[in-house]
Amino acid sequence: MGNVTSNVAAKFAFFPPDPATYGVTNDEETGKLVFSGVSPDMNMEVHQLTTKSGNKVVATFWRHPFARFTLLYSHGNAADLGQMVELFIELRAHLRVNIMSYDYSGYGASTGKPSELNTYYDIEAVYNCLRSDYGIKQEELILYGQSVGSGPTLHMASRLKRLRGVVLHSAILSGIRVLYPVKVTLWFDIFKNIDKIRHVNSKVLVIHGTKDDIVDLSHGKRLWELAKEKYDPLWVKGGGHCNLETYPEYIKHLRKFINAMEKLSLTNPPPKQLTNEPSIAGTKHNRCLRFRKR
């Protein structure tokens, strides 16, 4: 029964672009992975990571030479990395951060099939890459989840207790609640963010459009109410589900949040740890592209 409900949920939760909007190849001279349409001077590195389920997921690391933090970005359910390139370039420049993003299993050039559990395995593999390949610590990391991407984001945020911050963009309370205004969490529901947000220790910024006709504004407001460490939310007047980046207040508020997290890191440095940063690999588990031109 569990597999049946999981498969049904996947049908309404995941819509990977078909065909994929990009490709990944090996450079014959360097042996490095190359992302189609992105030249080496763009300072982006491509990874193909093996997840706990055995899938190979594509991840891209957009490096900023003077980055304050690293943003781990989980995109929405109807896009792949090829559609996100322009957004990542602008976010990196405007916010002065590194950006690590990835395609879920079954999206873009990632292998496997999309499912709730696979998105959790996907983001865990990406987080472990940030630790091992780039030396990124929790205190230097901000998790960013857009729409369905809020699921893997809160999955990680509820387990990493020293994160610098979390951004929830057009986030969902749970999968079933997008379709029906249920009052209790049903056993077959997916992405039960309404329960996981209560276990997040870091500052949470919620961004939601007041005219979102896909995920009602009430989802964002309830998530903000349930967050233990709230940051001033941004309710984008007139904003829909896939156009919040076109509003000037979007990037202004994000920059304000990043600045606040930087001040917080200076005034409240994290306590020294006696052990190494834990890997999360062994844990058990129960089209918005541009800013408005100036």
Side-chain angles (χ1 to χ4, degrees), residues 91-150:
L91 282 177
R92 178 176 64 176
H94 282 275
L95 302 179
R96 192 156 57 87
V97 295
N98 301 319
I99 297 176
M100 177 67 116
S101 191
Y102 62 103
D103 262 339
Y104 310 122
S105 295
Y107 276 69
S110 296
T111 67
K113 293 183 178 180
S115 71
E116 178 190 17
L117 185 59
N118 274 340
T119 66
Y120 299 158
Y121 290 157
D122 297 342
I123 196 172
E124 288 175 7
V126 175
Y127 169 71
N128 287 332
C129 174
L130 283 174
R131 289 180 53 250
S132 62
D133 288 26
Y134 298 99
I136 303 296
K137 300 177 181 178
Q138 289 187 39
E139 297 84 0
E140 302 166 330
L141 187 62
I142 294 173
L143 300 184
Y144 189 118
Q146 179 186 14
S147 189
V148 163
S150 59

Side-chain angles (χ1 to χ4, degrees), residues 195-250:
D195 299 325
K196 294 182 179 180
I197 187 99
R198 309 166 196 263
H199 303 290
V200 175
N201 290 339
S202 56
K203 287 285 186 182
V204 176
L205 164 62
V206 178
I207 303 173
H208 216 106
T210 63
K211 297 295 185 181
D212 191 326
D213 60 353
I214 304 296
V215 179
D216 189 75
L217 175 62
S218 59
H219 287 247
K221 290 199 169 184
R222 184 62 177 149
L223 287 169
W224 184 78
E225 291 170 357
L226 292 172
K228 290 192 292 186
E229 294 292 332
K230 301 173 177 62
Y231 186 81
D232 294 340
L234 175 61
W235 313 127
V236 182
K237 187 175 181 180
H241 191 66
C242 279
N243 66 348
L244 300 188
E245 296 92 333
T246 65
Y247 289 79
E249 55 265 41
Y250 166 80

Side-chain angles (χ1 to χ4, degrees), residues 68-69 254-264:
R68 299 178 286 178
F69 299 107
L254 262 182
R255 188 185 294 116
K256 180 181 175 184
F257 175 71
I258 297 293
N259 290 342
M261 295 306 97
E262 186 174 31
K263 291 179 181 178
L264 185 63

Side-chain angles (χ1 to χ4, degrees), residues 13-14 74-77 104 119 146-152 170 172 191 193:
F14 302 107
S74 299
H75 61 65
N77 67 343
Y104 310 122
T119 66
Q146 179 186 14
S147 189
V148 163
S150 59
S170 304
I172 65 174
F191 297 125
N193 294 339

